[in-house]
mmCIF file with all atom_site columns, all heavy atoms in Angstrom:
data_model
loop_
_atom_site.group_PDB
_atom_site.id
_atom_site.type_symbol
_atom_site.label_atom_id
_atom_site.label_alt_id
_atom_site.label_comp_id
_atom_site.label_asym_id
_atom_site.label_entity_id
_atom_site.label_seq_id
_atom_site.pdbx_PDB_ins_code
_atom_site.Cartn_x
_atom_site.Cartn_y
_atom_site.Cartn_z
_atom_site.occupancy
_atom_site.B_iso_or_equiv
_atom_site.pdbx_formal_charge
_atom_site.auth_seq_id
_atom_site.auth_comp_id
_atom_site.auth_asym_id
_atom_site.auth_atom_id
_atom_site.pdbx_PDB_model_num
ATOM 1   N N   . GLY A 1 17  ? 10.069  -17.454 15.072 1.00 98.00 ? 17  GLY A N   1
ATOM 2   C CA  . GLY A 1 17  ? 9.862   -18.869 14.794 1.00 98.00 ? 17  GLY A CA  1
ATOM 3   C C   . GLY A 1 17  ? 11.089  -19.410 14.076 1.00 98.00 ? 17  GLY A C   1
ATOM 4   O O   . GLY A 1 17  ? 11.392  -19.002 12.957 1.00 98.00 ? 17  GLY A O   1
ATOM 5   N N   . LEU A 1 21  ? 15.091  -22.349 9.864  1.00 97.00 ? 21  LEU A N   1
ATOM 6   C CA  . LEU A 1 21  ? 16.542  -22.495 9.940  1.00 97.00 ? 21  LEU A CA  1
ATOM 7   C C   . LEU A 1 21  ? 16.989  -23.950 9.958  1.00 97.00 ? 21  LEU A C   1
ATOM 8   O O   . LEU A 1 21  ? 18.197  -24.214 9.914  1.00 97.00 ? 21  LEU A O   1
ATOM 9   C CB  . LEU A 1 21  ? 17.067  -21.787 11.201 1.00 97.00 ? 21  LEU A CB  1
ATOM 10  C CG  . LEU A 1 21  ? 16.722  -20.307 11.314 1.00 97.00 ? 21  LEU A CG  1
ATOM 11  C CD1 . LEU A 1 21  ? 17.254  -19.748 12.623 1.00 97.00 ? 21  LEU A CD1 1
ATOM 12  C CD2 . LEU A 1 21  ? 17.275  -19.526 10.120 1.00 97.00 ? 21  LEU A CD2 1
ATOM 13  N N   . ILE A 1 33  ? 22.878  -18.867 12.433 1.00 98.00 ? 33  ILE A N   1
ATOM 14  C CA  . ILE A 1 33  ? 23.255  -18.255 13.702 1.00 98.00 ? 33  ILE A CA  1
ATOM 15  C C   . ILE A 1 33  ? 23.205  -16.733 13.578 1.00 98.00 ? 33  ILE A C   1
ATOM 16  O O   . ILE A 1 33  ? 22.817  -16.033 14.518 1.00 98.00 ? 33  ILE A O   1
ATOM 17  C CB  . ILE A 1 33  ? 24.638  -18.752 14.150 1.00 98.00 ? 33  ILE A CB  1
ATOM 18  C CG1 . ILE A 1 33  ? 24.516  -20.216 14.591 1.00 98.00 ? 33  ILE A CG1 1
ATOM 19  C CG2 . ILE A 1 33  ? 25.197  -17.889 15.280 1.00 98.00 ? 33  ILE A CG2 1
ATOM 20  C CD1 . ILE A 1 33  ? 25.801  -20.851 15.057 1.00 98.00 ? 33  ILE A CD1 1
ATOM 21  N N   . HIS A 1 37  ? 21.226  -14.249 16.048 1.00 98.00 ? 37  HIS A N   1
ATOM 22  C CA  . HIS A 1 37  ? 21.903  -13.133 16.709 1.00 98.00 ? 37  HIS A CA  1
ATOM 23  C C   . HIS A 1 37  ? 21.261  -11.801 16.329 1.00 98.00 ? 37  HIS A C   1
ATOM 24  O O   . HIS A 1 37  ? 21.159  -10.890 17.172 1.00 98.00 ? 37  HIS A O   1
ATOM 25  C CB  . HIS A 1 37  ? 23.388  -13.142 16.356 1.00 98.00 ? 37  HIS A CB  1
ATOM 26  C CG  . HIS A 1 37  ? 24.151  -14.212 17.076 1.00 98.00 ? 37  HIS A CG  1
ATOM 27  N ND1 . HIS A 1 37  ? 25.506  -14.399 16.916 1.00 98.00 ? 37  HIS A ND1 1
ATOM 28  C CD2 . HIS A 1 37  ? 23.750  -15.154 17.968 1.00 98.00 ? 37  HIS A CD2 1
ATOM 29  C CE1 . HIS A 1 37  ? 25.905  -15.413 17.668 1.00 98.00 ? 37  HIS A CE1 1
ATOM 30  N NE2 . HIS A 1 37  ? 24.860  -15.886 18.310 1.00 98.00 ? 37  HIS A NE2 1
ATOM 31  N N   . LEU A 1 71  ? 22.926  -19.189 21.215 1.00 98.00 ? 71  LEU A N   1
ATOM 32  C CA  . LEU A 1 71  ? 22.867  -18.477 22.491 1.00 98.00 ? 71  LEU A CA  1
ATOM 33  C C   . LEU A 1 71  ? 24.226  -18.503 23.186 1.00 98.00 ? 71  LEU A C   1
ATOM 34  O O   . LEU A 1 71  ? 24.661  -17.499 23.766 1.00 98.00 ? 71  LEU A O   1
ATOM 35  C CB  . LEU A 1 71  ? 21.787  -19.097 23.384 1.00 98.00 ? 71  LEU A CB  1
ATOM 36  C CG  . LEU A 1 71  ? 20.336  -18.882 22.941 1.00 98.00 ? 71  LEU A CG  1
ATOM 37  C CD1 . LEU A 1 71  ? 19.395  -19.664 23.842 1.00 98.00 ? 71  LEU A CD1 1
ATOM 38  C CD2 . LEU A 1 71  ? 19.972  -17.409 22.956 1.00 98.00 ? 71  LEU A CD2 1
ATOM 39  N N   . ALA A 1 72  ? 24.911  -19.640 23.125 1.00 98.00 ? 72  ALA A N   1
ATOM 40  C CA  . ALA A 1 72  ? 26.220  -19.752 23.767 1.00 98.00 ? 72  ALA A CA  1
ATOM 41  C C   . ALA A 1 72  ? 27.251  -18.845 23.105 1.00 98.00 ? 72  ALA A C   1
ATOM 42  O O   . ALA A 1 72  ? 28.159  -18.336 23.772 1.00 98.00 ? 72  ALA A O   1
ATOM 43  C CB  . ALA A 1 72  ? 26.696  -21.205 23.731 1.00 98.00 ? 72  ALA A CB  1
ATOM 44  N N   . SER A 1 79  ? 20.013  -14.042 29.421 1.00 96.00 ? 79  SER A N   1
ATOM 45  C CA  . SER A 1 79  ? 19.293  -14.610 30.563 1.00 96.00 ? 79  SER A CA  1
ATOM 46  C C   . SER A 1 79  ? 17.788  -14.359 30.486 1.00 96.00 ? 79  SER A C   1
ATOM 47  O O   . SER A 1 79  ? 17.004  -15.067 31.139 1.00 96.00 ? 79  SER A O   1
ATOM 48  C CB  . SER A 1 79  ? 19.844  -14.042 31.872 1.00 96.00 ? 79  SER A CB  1
ATOM 49  O OG  . SER A 1 79  ? 19.710  -12.627 31.911 1.00 96.00 ? 79  SER A OG  1
ATOM 50  N N   . GLY A 1 88  ? 5.787   -34.062 20.512 1.00 97.00 ? 88  GLY A N   1
ATOM 51  C CA  . GLY A 1 88  ? 4.569   -34.744 20.073 1.00 97.00 ? 88  GLY A CA  1
ATOM 52  C C   . GLY A 1 88  ? 4.524   -34.995 18.588 1.00 97.00 ? 88  GLY A C   1
ATOM 53  O O   . GLY A 1 88  ? 3.746   -35.809 18.110 1.00 97.00 ? 88  GLY A O   1
ATOM 54  N N   . ASP A 1 99  ? 3.046   -38.625 17.854 1.00 97.00 ? 99  ASP A N   1
ATOM 55  C CA  . ASP A 1 99  ? 3.108   -39.515 19.008 1.00 97.00 ? 99  ASP A CA  1
ATOM 56  C C   . ASP A 1 99  ? 2.847   -38.673 20.251 1.00 97.00 ? 99  ASP A C   1
ATOM 57  O O   . ASP A 1 99  ? 3.738   -38.018 20.767 1.00 97.00 ? 99  ASP A O   1
ATOM 58  C CB  . ASP A 1 99  ? 4.463   -40.219 19.108 1.00 97.00 ? 99  ASP A CB  1
ATOM 59  C CG  . ASP A 1 99  ? 4.456   -41.334 20.158 1.00 97.00 ? 99  ASP A CG  1
ATOM 60  O OD1 . ASP A 1 99  ? 3.534   -41.331 21.010 1.00 97.00 ? 99  ASP A OD1 1
ATOM 61  O OD2 . ASP A 1 99  ? 5.359   -42.194 20.124 1.00 97.00 ? 99  ASP A OD2 1
ATOM 62  N N   . ALA A 1 109 ? 10.865  -34.639 26.089 1.00 98.00 ? 109 ALA A N   1
ATOM 63  C CA  . ALA A 1 109 ? 11.244  -33.514 26.948 1.00 98.00 ? 109 ALA A CA  1
ATOM 64  C C   . ALA A 1 109 ? 12.654  -33.694 27.491 1.00 98.00 ? 109 ALA A C   1
ATOM 65  O O   . ALA A 1 109 ? 13.437  -32.731 27.552 1.00 98.00 ? 109 ALA A O   1
ATOM 66  C CB  . ALA A 1 109 ? 10.239  -33.359 28.092 1.00 98.00 ? 109 ALA A CB  1
ATOM 67  N N   . LEU A 1 113 ? 15.749  -31.145 26.802 1.00 98.00 ? 113 LEU A N   1
ATOM 68  C CA  . LEU A 1 113 ? 16.550  -30.580 27.887 1.00 98.00 ? 113 LEU A CA  1
ATOM 69  C C   . LEU A 1 113 ? 18.046  -30.722 27.596 1.00 98.00 ? 113 LEU A C   1
ATOM 70  O O   . LEU A 1 113 ? 18.814  -29.777 27.780 1.00 98.00 ? 113 LEU A O   1
ATOM 71  C CB  . LEU A 1 113 ? 16.220  -31.289 29.206 1.00 98.00 ? 113 LEU A CB  1
ATOM 72  C CG  . LEU A 1 113 ? 15.025  -30.789 30.006 1.00 98.00 ? 113 LEU A CG  1
ATOM 73  C CD1 . LEU A 1 113 ? 14.671  -31.780 31.100 1.00 98.00 ? 113 LEU A CD1 1
ATOM 74  C CD2 . LEU A 1 113 ? 15.307  -29.423 30.605 1.00 98.00 ? 113 LEU A CD2 1
ATOM 75  N N   . GLU A 1 137 ? -4.642  -37.587 28.341 1.00 98.00 ? 137 GLU A N   1
ATOM 76  C CA  . GLU A 1 137 ? -3.418  -38.305 28.709 1.00 98.00 ? 137 GLU A CA  1
ATOM 77  C C   . GLU A 1 137 ? -2.186  -37.502 28.312 1.00 98.00 ? 137 GLU A C   1
ATOM 78  O O   . GLU A 1 137 ? -1.205  -37.418 29.072 1.00 98.00 ? 137 GLU A O   1
ATOM 79  C CB  . GLU A 1 137 ? -3.397  -39.685 28.049 1.00 98.00 ? 137 GLU A CB  1
ATOM 80  C CG  . GLU A 1 137 ? -4.428  -40.650 28.597 1.00 98.00 ? 137 GLU A CG  1
ATOM 81  C CD  . GLU A 1 137 ? -4.287  -42.046 28.009 1.00 98.00 ? 137 GLU A CD  1
ATOM 82  O OE1 . GLU A 1 137 ? -3.250  -42.319 27.353 1.00 98.00 ? 137 GLU A OE1 1
ATOM 83  O OE2 . GLU A 1 137 ? -5.209  -42.868 28.206 1.00 98.00 ? 137 GLU A OE2 1
ATOM 84  N N   . ASP A 1 147 ? 5.396   -30.450 37.119 1.00 97.00 ? 147 ASP A N   1
ATOM 85  C CA  . ASP A 1 147 ? 5.494   -30.745 38.545 1.00 97.00 ? 147 ASP A CA  1
ATOM 86  C C   . ASP A 1 147 ? 6.861   -31.318 38.905 1.00 97.00 ? 147 ASP A C   1
ATOM 87  O O   . ASP A 1 147 ? 7.347   -31.131 40.028 1.00 97.00 ? 147 ASP A O   1
ATOM 88  C CB  . ASP A 1 147 ? 4.397   -31.731 38.947 1.00 97.00 ? 147 ASP A CB  1
ATOM 89  C CG  . ASP A 1 147 ? 3.001   -31.129 38.850 1.00 97.00 ? 147 ASP A CG  1
ATOM 90  O OD1 . ASP A 1 147 ? 2.897   -29.895 38.808 1.00 97.00 ? 147 ASP A OD1 1
ATOM 91  O OD2 . ASP A 1 147 ? 2.028   -31.903 38.799 1.00 97.00 ? 147 ASP A OD2 1
ATOM 92  N N   . ILE A 1 156 ? -0.030  -25.460 24.603 1.00 98.00 ? 156 ILE A N   1
ATOM 93  C CA  . ILE A 1 156 ? -0.576  -26.429 23.658 1.00 98.00 ? 156 ILE A CA  1
ATOM 94  C C   . ILE A 1 156 ? -0.640  -25.754 22.293 1.00 98.00 ? 156 ILE A C   1
ATOM 95  O O   . ILE A 1 156 ? -0.768  -24.539 22.183 1.00 98.00 ? 156 ILE A O   1
ATOM 96  C CB  . ILE A 1 156 ? -1.971  -26.949 24.075 1.00 98.00 ? 156 ILE A CB  1
ATOM 97  C CG1 . ILE A 1 156 ? -2.926  -25.783 24.379 1.00 98.00 ? 156 ILE A CG1 1
ATOM 98  C CG2 . ILE A 1 156 ? -1.857  -27.871 25.285 1.00 98.00 ? 156 ILE A CG2 1
ATOM 99  C CD1 . ILE A 1 156 ? -4.340  -26.218 24.725 1.00 98.00 ? 156 ILE A CD1 1
ATOM 100 N N   . PRO A 1 161 ? -11.109 -24.941 20.727 1.00 98.00 ? 161 PRO A N   1
ATOM 101 C CA  . PRO A 1 161 ? -11.590 -24.409 22.009 1.00 98.00 ? 161 PRO A CA  1
ATOM 102 C C   . PRO A 1 161 ? -11.869 -25.473 23.063 1.00 98.00 ? 161 PRO A C   1
ATOM 103 O O   . PRO A 1 161 ? -11.558 -25.262 24.243 1.00 98.00 ? 161 PRO A O   1
ATOM 104 C CB  . PRO A 1 161 ? -12.863 -23.654 21.609 1.00 98.00 ? 161 PRO A CB  1
ATOM 105 C CG  . PRO A 1 161 ? -12.590 -23.193 20.205 1.00 98.00 ? 161 PRO A CG  1
ATOM 106 C CD  . PRO A 1 161 ? -11.838 -24.344 19.583 1.00 98.00 ? 161 PRO A CD  1
ATOM 107 N N   . CYS A 1 196 ? -8.445  -17.382 24.552 1.00 98.00 ? 196 CYS A N   1
ATOM 108 C CA  . CYS A 1 196 ? -7.212  -17.066 25.277 1.00 98.00 ? 196 CYS A CA  1
ATOM 109 C C   . CYS A 1 196 ? -7.371  -15.749 26.037 1.00 98.00 ? 196 CYS A C   1
ATOM 110 O O   . CYS A 1 196 ? -6.901  -15.615 27.176 1.00 98.00 ? 196 CYS A O   1
ATOM 111 C CB  . CYS A 1 196 ? -6.031  -16.989 24.313 1.00 98.00 ? 196 CYS A CB  1
ATOM 112 S SG  . CYS A 1 196 ? -5.450  -18.605 23.734 1.00 98.00 ? 196 CYS A SG  1
ATOM 113 N N   . GLY A 1 210 ? 1.890   -16.082 6.565  1.00 93.00 ? 210 GLY A N   1
ATOM 114 C CA  . GLY A 1 210 ? 1.451   -16.970 5.500  1.00 93.00 ? 210 GLY A CA  1
ATOM 115 C C   . GLY A 1 210 ? 2.341   -18.160 5.264  1.00 93.00 ? 210 GLY A C   1
ATOM 116 O O   . GLY A 1 210 ? 2.134   -18.911 4.304  1.00 93.00 ? 210 GLY A O   1
ATOM 117 N N   . HIS A 1 226 ? -1.412  -4.308  1.505  1.00 97.00 ? 226 HIS A N   1
ATOM 118 C CA  . HIS A 1 226 ? -0.547  -3.599  0.568  1.00 97.00 ? 226 HIS A CA  1
ATOM 119 C C   . HIS A 1 226 ? -0.840  -2.089  0.595  1.00 97.00 ? 226 HIS A C   1
ATOM 120 O O   . HIS A 1 226 ? 0.091   -1.262  0.610  1.00 97.00 ? 226 HIS A O   1
ATOM 121 C CB  . HIS A 1 226 ? -0.764  -4.150  -0.843 1.00 97.00 ? 226 HIS A CB  1
ATOM 122 C CG  . HIS A 1 226 ? -0.004  -3.419  -1.907 1.00 97.00 ? 226 HIS A CG  1
ATOM 123 N ND1 . HIS A 1 226 ? 1.347   -3.589  -2.116 1.00 97.00 ? 226 HIS A ND1 1
ATOM 124 C CD2 . HIS A 1 226 ? -0.420  -2.500  -2.818 1.00 97.00 ? 226 HIS A CD2 1
ATOM 125 C CE1 . HIS A 1 226 ? 1.745   -2.808  -3.099 1.00 97.00 ? 226 HIS A CE1 1
ATOM 126 N NE2 . HIS A 1 226 ? 0.692   -2.140  -3.557 1.00 97.00 ? 226 HIS A NE2 1
ATOM 127 N N   . ALA A 1 242 ? 1.822   -5.830  13.015 1.00 98.00 ? 242 ALA A N   1
ATOM 128 C CA  . ALA A 1 242 ? 1.256   -4.756  13.838 1.00 98.00 ? 242 ALA A CA  1
ATOM 129 C C   . ALA A 1 242 ? -0.254  -4.935  13.999 1.00 98.00 ? 242 ALA A C   1
ATOM 130 O O   . ALA A 1 242 ? -0.818  -4.665  15.075 1.00 98.00 ? 242 ALA A O   1
ATOM 131 C CB  . ALA A 1 242 ? 1.574   -3.398  13.212 1.00 98.00 ? 242 ALA A CB  1
ATOM 132 N N   . ASN A 1 262 ? 15.023  -9.766  7.204  1.00 96.00 ? 262 ASN A N   1
ATOM 133 C CA  . ASN A 1 262 ? 13.610  -10.042 7.467  1.00 96.00 ? 262 ASN A CA  1
ATOM 134 C C   . ASN A 1 262 ? 13.309  -10.024 8.960  1.00 96.00 ? 262 ASN A C   1
ATOM 135 O O   . ASN A 1 262 ? 12.230  -9.596  9.382  1.00 96.00 ? 262 ASN A O   1
ATOM 136 C CB  . ASN A 1 262 ? 13.232  -11.388 6.862  1.00 96.00 ? 262 ASN A CB  1
ATOM 137 C CG  . ASN A 1 262 ? 13.254  -11.367 5.342  1.00 96.00 ? 262 ASN A CG  1
ATOM 138 O OD1 . ASN A 1 262 ? 13.136  -10.306 4.726  1.00 96.00 ? 262 ASN A OD1 1
ATOM 139 N ND2 . ASN A 1 262 ? 13.433  -12.523 4.731  1.00 96.00 ? 262 ASN A ND2 1
ATOM 140 N N   . THR A 1 273 ? 2.292   1.891   14.719 1.00 97.00 ? 273 THR A N   1
ATOM 141 C CA  . THR A 1 273 ? 0.933   2.203   15.150 1.00 97.00 ? 273 THR A CA  1
ATOM 142 C C   . THR A 1 273 ? 0.018   2.323   13.942 1.00 97.00 ? 273 THR A C   1
ATOM 143 O O   . THR A 1 273 ? 0.314   3.059   12.992 1.00 97.00 ? 273 THR A O   1
ATOM 144 C CB  . THR A 1 273 ? 0.894   3.520   15.947 1.00 97.00 ? 273 THR A CB  1
ATOM 145 O OG1 . THR A 1 273 ? 1.730   3.379   17.106 1.00 97.00 ? 273 THR A OG1 1
ATOM 146 C CG2 . THR A 1 273 ? -0.522  3.835   16.398 1.00 97.00 ? 273 THR A CG2 1
ATOM 147 N N   . SER A 1 275 ? -3.855  3.290   12.528 1.00 98.00 ? 275 SER A N   1
ATOM 148 C CA  . SER A 1 275 ? -5.003  4.115   12.907 1.00 98.00 ? 275 SER A CA  1
ATOM 149 C C   . SER A 1 275 ? -6.249  3.234   13.023 1.00 98.00 ? 275 SER A C   1
ATOM 150 O O   . SER A 1 275 ? -6.304  2.128   12.464 1.00 98.00 ? 275 SER A O   1
ATOM 151 C CB  . SER A 1 275 ? -5.240  5.191   11.853 1.00 98.00 ? 275 SER A CB  1
ATOM 152 O OG  . SER A 1 275 ? -5.755  4.611   10.655 1.00 98.00 ? 275 SER A OG  1
ATOM 153 N N   . GLU A 1 286 ? -10.127 -9.599  3.052  1.00 74.00 ? 286 GLU A N   1
ATOM 154 C CA  . GLU A 1 286 ? -10.172 -11.035 2.764  1.00 74.00 ? 286 GLU A CA  1
ATOM 155 C C   . GLU A 1 286 ? -8.872  -11.470 2.099  1.00 74.00 ? 286 GLU A C   1
ATOM 156 O O   . GLU A 1 286 ? -8.175  -10.656 1.506  1.00 74.00 ? 286 GLU A O   1
ATOM 157 C CB  . GLU A 1 286 ? -11.364 -11.347 1.863  1.00 74.00 ? 286 GLU A CB  1
ATOM 158 C CG  . GLU A 1 286 ? -12.716 -11.058 2.530  1.00 74.00 ? 286 GLU A CG  1
ATOM 159 C CD  . GLU A 1 286 ? -13.860 -11.440 1.641  1.00 74.00 ? 286 GLU A CD  1
ATOM 160 O OE1 . GLU A 1 286 ? -13.629 -11.880 0.486  1.00 74.00 ? 286 GLU A OE1 1
ATOM 161 O OE2 . GLU A 1 286 ? -15.017 -11.322 2.087  1.00 74.00 ? 286 GLU A OE2 1
#
Side-chain angles (χ1 to χ4, degrees):
L21 303 178
I33 289 180
H37 285 180
L71 291 174
S79 60
D99 190 343
L113 275 168
E137 291 185 12
D147 293 342
I156 51 177
C196 285
H226 175 77
N262 292 337
T273 300
S275 71
E286 296 183 357

